[in-house]
Amino acid sequence: MKTLGLSLTLAAGALSAGLAVAPSALAQAPDQADRIIRGRYQAILGDCEACHTAPGAKPLSGGLPLETPFGQLIPPNITPDKASGIGSWTEADFRNALKNGIGHDGKRLYPAMPYPAYTRMSDEDISNLWAYLRTVDPVFNPVEANQLPFPFNIRMSMLGWNMLNFTPGEFRPDPSKSEAWNRGAYIVQGPGHCGTCHSPKTSLGADETSQALEGASLQGWFAPNITGNPYIGIGSWSEEEIVQYLKTGANARTIASGPMAEAIEASTSQMTDEDVKAIATYLKSTTGGPAEKPKPIPADDRRMQMGAAIYHDTCSACHGADGKGARQLFPALAGSAIVQQPSSETLMRLVLQGSQAVHTDGARTTPAMPSLGWKLSDQQVADVLTYIRNSWGNAAPSVGPSDIGAHR
Ligand code: HEC
Ligand code: HEC
Ligand code: HEC
Protein backbone atom coordinates (compact mmCIF):
# COMPACT_ATOMS: atom_id res chain seq x y z
CA MET A 1 0.00 0.00 0.00
CA LYS A 2 1.14 3.54 -0.69
CA THR A 3 0.83 5.25 2.70
CA LEU A 4 1.08 8.92 3.37
CA GLY A 5 3.12 9.64 6.47
CA LEU A 6 1.86 8.73 9.88
CA SER A 7 -0.70 5.99 10.32
CA LEU A 8 -3.75 7.00 12.31
CA THR A 9 -6.32 4.38 13.11
CA LEU A 10 -9.72 5.13 14.54
CA ALA A 11 -11.17 2.77 17.10
CA ALA A 12 -14.61 3.22 15.57
CA GLY A 13 -15.53 0.14 13.54
CA ALA A 14 -16.58 2.10 10.48
CA LEU A 15 -13.07 3.29 9.77
CA SER A 16 -10.46 0.66 10.38
CA ALA A 17 -6.93 -0.46 9.64
CA GLY A 18 -4.69 0.94 6.96
CA LEU A 19 -5.96 4.50 6.80
CA ALA A 20 -2.97 6.75 6.82
CA VAL A 21 -3.18 10.53 6.76
CA ALA A 22 -0.56 13.24 6.62
CA PRO A 23 0.80 14.50 9.97
CA SER A 24 -0.74 17.91 9.28
CA ALA A 25 -4.16 16.26 9.66
CA LEU A 26 -3.39 15.57 13.31
CA ALA A 27 -2.89 19.24 14.01
CA GLN A 28 -6.49 19.96 12.96
CA ALA A 29 -9.53 20.31 15.20
CA PRO A 30 -11.03 16.88 16.02
CA ASP A 31 -14.03 17.20 13.72
CA GLN A 32 -11.78 18.34 10.88
CA ALA A 33 -9.41 15.41 11.53
CA ASP A 34 -12.41 13.10 11.39
CA ARG A 35 -13.47 14.53 8.01
CA ILE A 36 -9.95 14.02 6.68
CA ILE A 37 -9.85 10.40 7.80
CA ARG A 38 -13.25 9.79 6.26
CA GLY A 39 -12.01 11.49 3.11
CA ARG A 40 -8.96 9.26 3.02
CA TYR A 41 -11.33 6.29 3.10
CA GLN A 42 -13.22 7.75 0.12
CA ALA A 43 -9.91 7.92 -1.75
CA ILE A 44 -9.47 4.19 -1.03
CA LEU A 45 -13.03 3.37 -2.18
CA GLY A 46 -12.47 5.41 -5.34
CA ASP A 47 -8.88 4.15 -5.84
CA CYS A 48 -7.77 7.62 -6.96
CA GLU A 49 -4.12 6.64 -6.60
CA ALA A 50 -4.46 3.81 -9.10
CA CYS A 51 -4.58 6.31 -11.94
CA HIS A 52 -3.24 9.54 -10.46
CA THR A 53 0.06 8.17 -9.06
CA ALA A 54 2.88 6.94 -11.30
CA PRO A 55 5.00 4.09 -9.86
CA GLY A 56 7.60 5.51 -7.46
CA ALA A 57 6.17 9.03 -7.67
CA LYS A 58 4.59 11.06 -4.84
CA PRO A 59 0.94 10.18 -4.23
CA LEU A 60 -1.56 11.80 -6.60
CA SER A 61 1.08 13.84 -8.44
CA GLY A 62 0.01 12.51 -11.84
CA GLY A 63 -0.18 9.07 -13.39
CA LEU A 64 1.05 6.95 -16.25
CA PRO A 65 -0.46 7.32 -19.72
CA LEU A 66 -3.80 5.53 -19.83
CA GLU A 67 -4.83 3.73 -23.01
CA THR A 68 -8.38 4.62 -23.98
CA PRO A 69 -10.35 3.60 -27.08
CA PHE A 70 -9.58 7.08 -28.46
CA GLY A 71 -5.87 7.27 -27.60
CA GLN A 72 -3.68 8.21 -24.64
CA LEU A 73 -4.64 10.38 -21.67
CA ILE A 74 -2.43 11.17 -18.70
CA PRO A 75 -4.20 11.42 -15.33
CA PRO A 76 -3.20 14.87 -14.04
CA ASN A 77 -1.62 16.06 -10.80
CA ILE A 78 -4.35 16.40 -8.15
CA THR A 79 -2.13 17.36 -5.21
CA PRO A 80 -2.77 20.81 -3.66
CA ASP A 81 0.14 22.38 -5.60
CA LYS A 82 -1.11 25.79 -6.81
CA ALA A 83 0.84 25.93 -10.07
CA SER A 84 0.47 22.39 -11.41
CA GLY A 85 -2.11 20.65 -9.21
CA ILE A 86 -5.52 21.63 -7.89
CA GLY A 87 -4.24 23.90 -5.09
CA SER A 88 -6.12 26.92 -6.37
CA TRP A 89 -9.41 25.03 -6.71
CA THR A 90 -12.40 25.57 -4.45
CA GLU A 91 -14.47 22.74 -3.04
CA ALA A 92 -17.16 23.69 -5.57
CA ASP A 93 -14.66 23.23 -8.43
CA PHE A 94 -13.78 19.81 -7.08
CA ARG A 95 -17.40 18.77 -6.75
CA ASN A 96 -17.96 19.93 -10.31
CA ALA A 97 -15.15 17.62 -11.51
CA LEU A 98 -16.50 14.54 -9.72
CA LYS A 99 -20.20 15.19 -10.29
CA ASN A 100 -20.23 16.78 -13.74
CA GLY A 101 -16.89 15.94 -15.34
CA ILE A 102 -15.72 19.56 -15.52
CA GLY A 103 -11.97 20.12 -14.97
CA HIS A 104 -9.52 23.04 -14.97
CA ASP A 105 -10.81 26.21 -16.62
CA GLY A 106 -14.17 24.62 -17.27
CA LYS A 107 -12.78 22.04 -19.70
CA ARG A 108 -14.83 18.88 -20.15
CA LEU A 109 -13.09 15.78 -18.83
CA TYR A 110 -12.89 12.57 -20.81
CA PRO A 111 -14.73 9.68 -19.17
CA ALA A 112 -11.41 7.84 -18.66
CA MET A 113 -11.74 9.76 -15.39
CA PRO A 114 -14.62 7.71 -13.92
CA TYR A 115 -16.92 10.66 -13.18
CA PRO A 116 -19.89 8.82 -14.73
CA ALA A 117 -19.58 6.64 -11.58
CA TYR A 118 -18.35 9.26 -9.11
CA THR A 119 -21.40 11.38 -9.92
CA ARG A 120 -23.37 8.90 -7.76
CA MET A 121 -21.29 9.87 -4.67
CA SER A 122 -23.01 11.81 -1.89
CA ASP A 123 -22.13 15.46 -1.30
CA GLU A 124 -20.86 14.56 2.14
CA ASP A 125 -18.47 11.90 0.82
CA ILE A 126 -17.16 14.29 -1.84
CA SER A 127 -16.73 17.03 0.73
CA ASN A 128 -14.71 14.73 3.03
CA LEU A 129 -12.61 13.56 0.08
CA TRP A 130 -11.85 17.20 -0.69
CA ALA A 131 -10.82 17.82 2.95
CA TYR A 132 -8.43 14.87 2.68
CA LEU A 133 -6.95 15.92 -0.68
CA ARG A 134 -6.06 19.32 0.82
CA THR A 135 -3.72 17.54 3.28
CA VAL A 136 -1.75 15.58 0.66
CA ASP A 137 1.83 16.82 0.05
CA PRO A 138 1.75 19.39 -2.76
CA VAL A 139 3.98 18.34 -5.65
CA PHE A 140 5.04 20.50 -8.60
CA ASN A 141 4.50 18.29 -11.63
CA PRO A 142 2.81 19.83 -14.66
CA VAL A 143 0.91 17.19 -16.69
CA GLU A 144 -0.68 17.71 -20.07
CA ALA A 145 -3.49 15.19 -19.79
CA ASN A 146 -4.54 15.36 -23.39
CA GLN A 147 -2.42 13.20 -25.72
CA LEU A 148 -5.29 12.24 -27.97
CA PRO A 149 -5.15 12.39 -31.75
CA PHE A 150 -7.49 14.62 -33.77
CA PRO A 151 -10.54 14.76 -33.61
CA PHE A 152 -10.76 13.32 -30.08
CA ASN A 153 -8.40 16.00 -28.77
CA ILE A 154 -11.12 18.58 -29.22
CA ARG A 155 -12.67 18.96 -25.80
CA MET A 156 -15.80 20.55 -27.21
CA SER A 157 -16.71 17.19 -28.67
CA MET A 158 -17.09 16.03 -25.08
CA LEU A 159 -20.10 18.27 -24.78
CA GLY A 160 -21.79 16.03 -27.33
CA TRP A 161 -20.48 12.92 -25.56
CA ASN A 162 -21.89 14.07 -22.27
CA MET A 163 -25.28 14.93 -23.71
CA LEU A 164 -25.57 11.47 -25.21
CA ASN A 165 -24.01 9.34 -22.52
CA PHE A 166 -23.96 10.90 -19.15
CA THR A 167 -26.62 11.68 -16.56
CA PRO A 168 -25.26 13.45 -13.52
CA GLY A 169 -27.00 12.64 -10.27
CA GLU A 170 -26.66 11.14 -6.84
CA PHE A 171 -27.29 7.48 -5.98
CA ARG A 172 -30.93 6.90 -5.00
CA PRO A 173 -31.35 4.19 -2.37
CA ASP A 174 -34.04 1.57 -2.94
CA PRO A 175 -36.18 1.57 0.23
CA SER A 176 -37.48 -1.95 -0.51
CA LYS A 177 -33.93 -3.34 -0.14
CA SER A 178 -31.78 -3.85 2.97
CA GLU A 179 -29.30 -1.29 4.23
CA ALA A 180 -26.41 -3.61 3.28
CA TRP A 181 -27.74 -3.99 -0.28
CA ASN A 182 -28.03 -0.22 -0.67
CA ARG A 183 -24.54 0.33 0.71
CA GLY A 184 -23.17 -2.29 -1.71
CA ALA A 185 -25.01 -0.77 -4.67
CA TYR A 186 -23.70 2.66 -3.71
CA ILE A 187 -20.06 1.50 -3.61
CA VAL A 188 -20.26 -0.59 -6.79
CA GLN A 189 -22.06 2.08 -8.87
CA GLY A 190 -20.47 5.11 -7.19
CA PRO A 191 -17.01 5.46 -5.65
CA GLY A 192 -15.90 1.85 -6.35
CA HIS A 193 -16.56 2.42 -10.11
CA CYS A 194 -16.55 -1.36 -10.72
CA GLY A 195 -18.45 -0.86 -13.99
CA THR A 196 -15.60 1.23 -15.42
CA CYS A 197 -13.86 -2.09 -16.05
CA HIS A 198 -16.64 -4.68 -15.76
CA SER A 199 -19.44 -3.10 -17.86
CA PRO A 200 -19.47 -3.43 -21.66
CA LYS A 201 -19.00 -0.11 -23.46
CA THR A 202 -20.94 1.55 -26.25
CA SER A 203 -19.02 2.57 -29.38
CA LEU A 204 -18.52 5.93 -27.70
CA GLY A 205 -16.90 4.43 -24.63
CA ALA A 206 -19.84 4.89 -22.26
CA ASP A 207 -21.11 2.11 -20.00
CA GLU A 208 -23.79 -0.01 -21.64
CA THR A 209 -26.19 0.45 -18.73
CA SER A 210 -28.56 -2.30 -19.82
CA GLN A 211 -25.65 -4.76 -19.49
CA ALA A 212 -24.08 -3.44 -16.30
CA LEU A 213 -21.26 -5.64 -14.91
CA GLU A 214 -21.63 -8.25 -17.68
CA GLY A 215 -17.94 -8.15 -18.61
CA ALA A 216 -15.70 -6.03 -20.85
CA SER A 217 -12.28 -5.99 -22.52
CA LEU A 218 -9.60 -3.69 -21.26
CA GLN A 219 -6.01 -3.42 -22.42
CA GLY A 220 -5.49 -7.10 -23.14
CA TRP A 221 -7.47 -8.41 -20.17
CA PHE A 222 -11.11 -9.31 -19.87
CA ALA A 223 -12.90 -8.03 -16.77
CA PRO A 224 -15.42 -10.86 -16.36
CA ASN A 225 -19.13 -10.91 -15.70
CA ILE A 226 -19.58 -10.21 -11.97
CA THR A 227 -23.39 -10.36 -11.84
CA GLY A 228 -25.18 -13.16 -10.03
CA ASN A 229 -25.16 -15.22 -13.25
CA PRO A 230 -24.68 -18.82 -12.06
CA TYR A 231 -21.98 -20.01 -14.45
CA ILE A 232 -20.14 -17.04 -15.96
CA GLY A 233 -20.82 -14.62 -13.08
CA ILE A 234 -20.36 -15.01 -9.35
CA GLY A 235 -23.80 -16.59 -8.78
CA SER A 236 -22.33 -19.87 -7.54
CA TRP A 237 -19.91 -18.11 -5.15
CA SER A 238 -20.97 -17.77 -1.53
CA GLU A 239 -20.92 -14.29 0.02
CA GLU A 240 -17.93 -15.42 2.09
CA GLU A 241 -16.04 -16.40 -1.07
CA ILE A 242 -16.67 -12.97 -2.62
CA VAL A 243 -15.55 -11.27 0.59
CA GLN A 244 -12.41 -13.39 0.75
CA TYR A 245 -11.57 -12.60 -2.88
CA LEU A 246 -12.02 -8.84 -2.45
CA LYS A 247 -10.12 -8.85 0.87
CA THR A 248 -7.19 -11.09 -0.09
CA GLY A 249 -7.22 -11.57 -3.86
CA ALA A 250 -7.67 -15.32 -3.60
CA ASN A 251 -10.27 -17.88 -2.59
CA ALA A 252 -10.79 -21.57 -3.19
CA ARG A 253 -11.94 -20.82 -6.75
CA THR A 254 -9.56 -18.29 -8.19
CA ILE A 255 -6.58 -16.00 -7.73
CA ALA A 256 -6.77 -12.43 -9.01
CA SER A 257 -4.32 -11.19 -11.63
CA GLY A 258 -3.68 -8.06 -13.69
CA PRO A 259 -5.79 -4.94 -13.18
CA MET A 260 -8.01 -6.67 -10.57
CA ALA A 261 -4.96 -7.64 -8.50
CA GLU A 262 -4.08 -3.92 -8.47
CA ALA A 263 -7.63 -2.87 -7.56
CA ILE A 264 -7.63 -5.41 -4.71
CA GLU A 265 -4.26 -4.32 -3.35
CA ALA A 266 -4.96 -0.60 -3.34
CA SER A 267 -8.70 -0.54 -2.82
CA THR A 268 -10.95 -3.49 -1.93
CA SER A 269 -8.50 -5.17 0.50
CA GLN A 270 -8.46 -1.94 2.47
CA MET A 271 -12.23 -1.50 2.62
CA THR A 272 -13.97 -2.28 5.92
CA ASP A 273 -15.34 -5.80 6.34
CA GLU A 274 -18.82 -4.32 6.46
CA ASP A 275 -18.39 -2.58 3.10
CA VAL A 276 -16.96 -5.65 1.40
CA LYS A 277 -19.87 -7.76 2.70
CA ALA A 278 -22.28 -5.13 1.39
CA ILE A 279 -20.67 -5.38 -2.06
CA ALA A 280 -21.09 -9.17 -1.97
CA THR A 281 -24.77 -8.84 -1.00
CA TYR A 282 -25.38 -6.45 -3.86
CA LEU A 283 -23.42 -8.37 -6.53
CA LYS A 284 -25.22 -11.62 -5.73
CA SER A 285 -28.59 -9.91 -6.28
CA THR A 286 -27.75 -8.68 -9.79
CA THR A 287 -28.55 -10.59 -12.98
CA GLY A 288 -27.11 -10.53 -16.47
CA GLY A 289 -25.58 -12.58 -19.26
CA PRO A 290 -26.75 -15.79 -20.91
CA ALA A 291 -29.27 -17.77 -18.85
CA GLU A 292 -28.16 -21.10 -20.25
CA LYS A 293 -24.80 -22.70 -20.64
CA PRO A 294 -23.83 -23.56 -24.24
CA LYS A 295 -23.18 -27.22 -25.12
CA PRO A 296 -19.52 -28.16 -24.55
CA ILE A 297 -17.37 -29.09 -27.54
CA PRO A 298 -17.19 -32.93 -27.47
CA ALA A 299 -14.03 -34.56 -26.12
CA ASP A 300 -13.41 -36.43 -29.40
CA ASP A 301 -13.14 -33.16 -31.37
CA ARG A 302 -9.61 -32.94 -32.81
CA ARG A 303 -8.90 -29.57 -31.14
CA MET A 304 -9.97 -31.03 -27.80
CA GLN A 305 -7.71 -34.08 -28.23
CA MET A 306 -4.72 -31.92 -29.15
CA GLY A 307 -5.55 -29.56 -26.28
CA ALA A 308 -5.77 -32.42 -23.77
CA ALA A 309 -2.27 -33.62 -24.68
CA ILE A 310 -0.80 -30.12 -24.28
CA TYR A 311 -2.69 -29.63 -21.02
CA HIS A 312 -1.30 -32.80 -19.51
CA ASP A 313 2.24 -31.89 -20.60
CA THR A 314 2.33 -28.21 -19.69
CA CYS A 315 -0.44 -27.30 -17.26
CA SER A 316 -1.59 -30.27 -15.18
CA ALA A 317 1.43 -30.24 -12.86
CA CYS A 318 0.01 -27.08 -11.31
CA HIS A 319 -3.69 -27.02 -12.20
CA GLY A 320 -4.24 -30.79 -11.73
CA ALA A 321 -5.33 -33.47 -14.21
CA ASP A 322 -8.89 -32.91 -12.96
CA GLY A 323 -8.57 -29.08 -13.35
CA LYS A 324 -9.20 -28.62 -9.63
CA GLY A 325 -5.93 -26.80 -8.90
CA ALA A 326 -4.53 -26.56 -5.38
CA ARG A 327 -6.31 -24.37 -2.89
CA GLN A 328 -4.89 -20.80 -2.67
CA LEU A 329 -1.83 -21.78 -4.72
CA PHE A 330 -3.01 -22.81 -8.18
CA PRO A 331 -6.50 -21.72 -9.17
CA ALA A 332 -9.09 -24.31 -10.22
CA LEU A 333 -9.93 -24.25 -13.93
CA ALA A 334 -12.90 -26.63 -13.53
CA GLY A 335 -16.03 -24.57 -12.90
CA SER A 336 -14.06 -21.32 -13.22
CA ALA A 337 -16.00 -18.32 -14.46
CA ILE A 338 -12.81 -16.66 -15.76
CA VAL A 339 -12.18 -19.69 -17.99
CA GLN A 340 -15.73 -19.63 -19.44
CA GLN A 341 -16.14 -15.92 -20.29
CA PRO A 342 -17.34 -15.20 -23.84
CA SER A 343 -13.96 -13.54 -24.47
CA SER A 344 -10.74 -15.50 -23.95
CA GLU A 345 -8.54 -12.38 -23.68
CA THR A 346 -7.49 -12.94 -20.07
CA LEU A 347 -6.69 -16.60 -20.81
CA MET A 348 -4.48 -15.74 -23.78
CA ARG A 349 -2.77 -13.07 -21.75
CA LEU A 350 -2.02 -15.47 -18.87
CA VAL A 351 -0.68 -18.27 -21.06
CA LEU A 352 1.37 -16.01 -23.36
CA GLN A 353 2.74 -13.63 -20.74
CA GLY A 354 2.22 -15.33 -17.38
CA SER A 355 1.27 -13.42 -14.26
CA GLN A 356 2.29 -12.81 -10.68
CA ALA A 357 -0.63 -13.29 -8.31
CA VAL A 358 -1.92 -10.60 -6.01
CA HIS A 359 -0.09 -9.69 -2.81
CA THR A 360 -2.21 -8.62 0.18
CA ASP A 361 -1.87 -8.99 3.93
CA GLY A 362 -4.41 -11.81 3.76
CA ALA A 363 -2.54 -13.73 1.03
CA ARG A 364 1.17 -13.39 1.58
CA THR A 365 2.50 -16.03 -0.79
CA THR A 366 2.44 -14.87 -4.38
CA PRO A 367 2.38 -17.89 -6.68
CA ALA A 368 3.18 -17.19 -10.30
CA MET A 369 1.81 -18.45 -13.57
CA PRO A 370 4.80 -18.94 -15.91
CA SER A 371 4.81 -17.37 -19.36
CA LEU A 372 4.43 -20.18 -21.91
CA GLY A 373 4.25 -18.07 -25.06
CA TRP A 374 7.79 -19.01 -26.09
CA LYS A 375 7.06 -22.71 -25.81
CA LEU A 376 3.69 -23.10 -27.51
CA SER A 377 2.61 -22.24 -31.08
CA ASP A 378 -0.54 -20.21 -31.78
CA GLN A 379 -2.34 -23.45 -32.67
CA GLN A 380 -1.22 -25.12 -29.43
CA VAL A 381 -2.30 -22.20 -27.23
CA ALA A 382 -5.67 -22.11 -29.04
CA ASP A 383 -6.19 -25.86 -28.56
CA VAL A 384 -5.26 -25.93 -24.89
CA LEU A 385 -7.61 -23.00 -24.22
CA THR A 386 -10.42 -24.68 -26.18
CA TYR A 387 -9.73 -27.76 -24.04
CA ILE A 388 -9.90 -26.04 -20.63
CA ARG A 389 -13.02 -24.11 -21.73
CA ASN A 390 -14.83 -27.37 -22.54
CA SER A 391 -13.64 -29.92 -19.97
CA TRP A 392 -14.71 -30.94 -16.45
CA GLY A 393 -18.21 -29.52 -16.97
CA ASN A 394 -16.99 -26.22 -18.48
CA ALA A 395 -18.53 -24.99 -21.72
CA ALA A 396 -17.52 -21.96 -23.81
CA PRO A 397 -16.78 -21.04 -27.44
CA SER A 398 -13.58 -22.44 -28.97
CA VAL A 399 -10.46 -20.31 -29.46
CA GLY A 400 -8.76 -20.12 -32.88
CA PRO A 401 -5.06 -19.68 -33.73
CA SER A 402 -5.73 -16.32 -35.39
CA ASP A 403 -7.04 -14.98 -32.03
CA ILE A 404 -3.71 -15.91 -30.47
CA GLY A 405 -1.67 -14.43 -33.32
CA ALA A 406 -3.53 -11.13 -32.96
CA HIS A 407 -2.79 -11.07 -29.23
CA ARG A 408 0.95 -11.85 -29.37
C1 HEC B 1 -9.39 5.06 -14.16
C2 HEC B 1 -8.47 6.14 -13.91
C3 HEC B 1 -8.85 7.24 -12.94
C4 HEC B 1 -9.29 7.11 -11.65
C5 HEC B 1 -9.56 5.81 -10.87
C6 HEC B 1 -9.44 8.45 -11.14
N1 HEC B 1 -9.11 9.37 -12.11
FE1 HEC B 1 -9.22 11.41 -11.91
N2 HEC B 1 -8.67 11.61 -13.88
C7 HEC B 1 -8.30 10.58 -14.73
C8 HEC B 1 -7.95 11.12 -16.03
C9 HEC B 1 -7.50 10.32 -17.24
C10 HEC B 1 -8.13 12.52 -15.94
C11 HEC B 1 -7.92 13.54 -17.06
C12 HEC B 1 -9.16 13.59 -17.90
C13 HEC B 1 -9.14 14.70 -18.90
O1 HEC B 1 -8.21 15.51 -18.89
O2 HEC B 1 -10.07 14.79 -19.71
C14 HEC B 1 -8.58 12.79 -14.57
C15 HEC B 1 -8.89 14.06 -14.09
C16 HEC B 1 -9.21 14.35 -12.77
C17 HEC B 1 -9.45 15.67 -12.25
C18 HEC B 1 -9.41 16.98 -13.05
C19 HEC B 1 -8.10 17.64 -12.82
C20 HEC B 1 -7.86 18.82 -13.72
O3 HEC B 1 -6.73 19.33 -13.66
O4 HEC B 1 -8.75 19.22 -14.49
C21 HEC B 1 -9.71 15.54 -10.90
C22 HEC B 1 -10.01 16.63 -9.90
C23 HEC B 1 -9.65 14.13 -10.60
N3 HEC B 1 -9.33 13.42 -11.75
C24 HEC B 1 -9.86 13.60 -9.34
C25 HEC B 1 -9.95 12.22 -9.08
C26 HEC B 1 -10.30 11.67 -7.78
C27 HEC B 1 -10.57 12.48 -6.53
C28 HEC B 1 -10.32 10.30 -7.93
C29 HEC B 1 -10.72 9.25 -6.90
C30 HEC B 1 -12.02 9.40 -6.30
C31 HEC B 1 -9.95 10.02 -9.32
N4 HEC B 1 -9.73 11.20 -9.97
C32 HEC B 1 -9.86 8.74 -9.86
C33 HEC B 1 -8.30 9.23 -14.42
C34 HEC B 1 -8.73 8.66 -13.22
C1 HEC C 1 -9.18 -1.60 -13.36
C2 HEC C 1 -10.22 -2.50 -13.78
C3 HEC C 1 -11.09 -3.15 -12.72
C4 HEC C 1 -11.79 -2.53 -11.71
C5 HEC C 1 -11.86 -1.05 -11.37
C6 HEC C 1 -12.51 -3.59 -11.03
N1 HEC C 1 -12.22 -4.81 -11.60
FE1 HEC C 1 -12.87 -6.63 -10.91
N2 HEC C 1 -11.74 -7.58 -12.34
C7 HEC C 1 -11.00 -6.95 -13.33
C8 HEC C 1 -10.32 -7.97 -14.12
C9 HEC C 1 -9.40 -7.72 -15.31
C10 HEC C 1 -10.67 -9.24 -13.55
C11 HEC C 1 -10.16 -10.61 -13.97
C12 HEC C 1 -9.01 -10.97 -13.06
C13 HEC C 1 -8.36 -12.30 -13.31
O1 HEC C 1 -8.43 -12.79 -14.44
O2 HEC C 1 -7.75 -12.86 -12.37
C14 HEC C 1 -11.57 -8.94 -12.44
C15 HEC C 1 -12.15 -9.92 -11.62
C16 HEC C 1 -13.09 -9.67 -10.63
C17 HEC C 1 -13.77 -10.70 -9.87
C18 HEC C 1 -13.55 -12.21 -10.00
C19 HEC C 1 -14.51 -12.82 -10.98
C20 HEC C 1 -14.22 -14.27 -11.28
O3 HEC C 1 -15.09 -14.92 -11.86
O4 HEC C 1 -13.12 -14.76 -10.98
C21 HEC C 1 -14.63 -10.06 -9.01
C22 HEC C 1 -15.58 -10.71 -8.00
C23 HEC C 1 -14.46 -8.63 -9.23
N3 HEC C 1 -13.53 -8.43 -10.22
C24 HEC C 1 -15.18 -7.66 -8.55
C25 HEC C 1 -14.93 -6.28 -8.68
C26 HEC C 1 -15.59 -5.28 -7.87
C27 HEC C 1 -16.64 -5.54 -6.81
C28 HEC C 1 -15.07 -4.06 -8.27
C29 HEC C 1 -15.37 -2.67 -7.72
C30 HEC C 1 -15.20 -2.51 -6.29
C31 HEC C 1 -14.10 -4.34 -9.32
N4 HEC C 1 -14.04 -5.69 -9.55
C32 HEC C 1 -13.36 -3.36 -9.96
C33 HEC C 1 -10.88 -5.57 -13.52
C34 HEC C 1 -11.37 -4.59 -12.65
C1 HEC D 1 4.03 -23.53 -12.51
C2 HEC D 1 2.63 -23.65 -12.27
C3 HEC D 1 1.67 -23.33 -13.42
C4 HEC D 1 1.66 -23.88 -14.69
C5 HEC D 1 2.61 -24.88 -15.31
C6 HEC D 1 0.50 -23.30 -15.33
N1 HEC D 1 -0.15 -22.44 -14.49
FE1 HEC D 1 -1.86 -21.43 -14.87
N2 HEC D 1 -1.72 -20.46 -13.10
C7 HEC D 1 -0.73 -20.68 -12.14
C8 HEC D 1 -0.89 -19.71 -11.08
C9 HEC D 1 -0.03 -19.56 -9.84
C10 HEC D 1 -1.99 -18.89 -11.42
C11 HEC D 1 -2.54 -17.67 -10.67
C12 HEC D 1 -1.79 -16.48 -11.25
C13 HEC D 1 -2.39 -15.15 -10.99
O1 HEC D 1 -3.49 -15.08 -10.46
O2 HEC D 1 -1.76 -14.13 -11.36
C14 HEC D 1 -2.49 -19.41 -12.69
C15 HEC D 1 -3.61 -18.91 -13.35
C16 HEC D 1 -4.18 -19.51 -14.46
C17 HEC D 1 -5.48 -19.14 -15.00
C18 HEC D 1 -6.45 -18.11 -14.42
C19 HEC D 1 -7.35 -18.76 -13.43
C20 HEC D 1 -8.08 -17.79 -12.53
O3 HEC D 1 -9.00 -18.23 -11.83
O4 HEC D 1 -7.71 -16.60 -12.48
C21 HEC D 1 -5.66 -19.92 -16.11
C22 HEC D 1 -6.88 -19.92 -17.03
C23 HEC D 1 -4.49 -20.75 -16.26
N3 HEC D 1 -3.61 -20.47 -15.24
C24 HEC D 1 -4.30 -21.67 -17.29
C25 HEC D 1 -3.13 -22.38 -17.48
C26 HEC D 1 -2.86 -23.18 -18.65
C27 HEC D 1 -3.82 -23.37 -19.81
C28 HEC D 1 -1.61 -23.71 -18.48
C29 HEC D 1 -0.84 -24.57 -19.43
C30 HEC D 1 -0.71 -24.06 -20.80
C31 HEC D 1 -1.11 -23.26 -17.19
N4 HEC D 1 -2.06 -22.44 -16.63
C32 HEC D 1 0.11 -23.62 -16.64
C33 HEC D 1 0.24 -21.67 -12.20
C34 HEC D 1 0.55 -22.42 -13.31
Side-chain angles (χ1 to χ4, degrees):
M1 172 196 164
K2 299 160 203 140
T3 50
L4 309 175
L6 204 55
S7 185
L8 191 150
T9 309
L10 273 198
L15 297 156
S16 65
L19 307 185
V21 298
S24 59
L26 299 176
Q28 312 271 351
D31 58 334
Q32 184 63 10
D34 186 57
R35 265 188 78 199
I36 293 166
I37 291 163
R38 287 175 192 280
R40 165 72 180 149
Y41 188 63
Q42 293 306 316
I44 288 172
L45 290 183
D47 207 359
C48 315
E49 285 196 18
C51 293
H52 286 279
T53 309
K58 293 272 213 154
L60 304 175
S61 61
L64 288 180
L66 210 66
E67 297 300 333
T68 77
F70 313 118
Q72 273 192 353
L73 273 174
I74 305 184
N77 178 350
I78 56 168
T79 70
D81 180 60
K82 283 210 162 64
S84 63
I86 57 172
S88 59
W89 283 31
T90 63
E91 183 172 336
D93 293 334
F94 179 67
R95 179 175 300 113
N96 206 17
L98 266 69
K99 287 243 122 182
N100 303 316
I102 310 283
H104 253 123
D105 306 324
K107 77 184 181 197
R108 303 221 154 238
L109 298 175
Y110 292 88
M113 158 70 186
Y115 63 84
Y118 297 149
T119 191
R120 306 271 165 259
M121 289 174 72
S122 73
D123 282 350
E124 189 190 339
D125 285 350
I126 291 177
S127 173
N128 291 341
L129 177 54
W130 171 247
Y132 162 69
L133 287 178
R134 304 297 289 170
T135 70
V136 170
D137 279 348
V139 177
F140 179 74
N141 180 34
V143 172
E144 178 44 64
N146 192 342
Q147 312 278 318
L148 303 183
F150 182 83
F152 299 119
N153 60 348
I154 303 176
R155 291 210 179 251
M156 271 315 286
S157 65
M158 294 311 299
L159 189 58
W161 188 91
N162 277 339
M163 277 163 46
L164 287 170
N165 296 284
F166 171 61
T167 334
E170 207 165 299
F171 174 77
R172 297 258 165 269
D174 178 345
S176 72
K177 298 289 201 325
S178 70
E179 208 177 300
W181 185 95
N182 275 300
R183 176 68 183 161
Y186 174 71
I187 297 173
V188 168
Q189 295 169 19
H193 69 281
C194 313
T196 303
C197 294
H198 285 279
S199 295
K201 301 290 176 277
T202 64
S203 56
L204 289 167
D207 285 7
E208 191 73 82
T209 40
S210 63
Q211 295 167 28
L213 307 179
E214 287 183 21
S217 293
L218 61 143
Q219 302 158 34
W221 293 89
F222 189 75
N225 184 316
I226 53 166
T227 70
N229 184 293
Y231 79 100
I232 59 167
I234 45 76
S236 64
W237 294 25
S238 67
E239 280 197 18
E240 293 70 45
E241 285 175 321
I242 300 174
V243 167
Q244 198 187 10
Y245 178 84
L246 295 174
K247 274 282 184 185
T248 70
N251 61 21
R253 296 167 179 269
T254 187
I255 301 179
S257 17
M260 190 63 203
E262 288 168 21
I264 289 169
E265 281 176 12
S267 180
T268 64
S269 71
Q270 297 183 49
M271 293 180 188
T272 65
D273 292 357
E274 219 179 1
D275 278 351
V276 176
K277 279 191 202 126
I279 292 177
T281 303
Y282 172 67
L283 288 183
K284 279 197 70 86
S285 79
T286 60
T287 55
E292 273 184 44
K293 228 174 165 146
K295 285 229 177 313
I297 299 170
D300 60 7
D301 184 288
R302 205 182 134 65
R303 294 165 297 178
M304 290 288 284
Q305 288 175 335
M306 299 299 292
I310 299 160
Y311 182 81
H312 291 288
D313 276 357
T314 16
C315 322
S316 65
C318 296
H319 292 287
D322 55 3
K324 292 216 177 87
R327 201 182 165 91
Q328 306 278 352
L329 212 50
F330 303 122
L333 306 182
S336 157
I338 299 264
V339 171
Q340 299 175 82
Q341 295 301 306
S343 155
S344 51
E345 259 180 293
T346 293
L347 308 182
M348 294 191 264
R349 170 81 178 227
L350 281 163
V351 172
L352 293 177
Q353 274 142 272
S355 155
Q356 183 78 44
V358 64
H359 183 91
T360 60
D361 288 346
R364 288 188 177 278
T365 48
T366 53
M369 159 91 184
S371 135
L372 296 164
W374 59 277
K375 195 171 164 185
L376 301 173
S377 69
D378 291 356
Q379 184 70 54
Q380 287 173 315
V381 176
D383 289 345
V384 78
L385 293 182
T386 298
Y387 173 76
I388 63 170
R389 281 159 74 73
N390 291 281
S391 299
W392 320 295
N394 291 352
S398 64
V399 181
S402 57
D403 300 330
I404 311 294
H407 200 84
R408 268 200 208 255

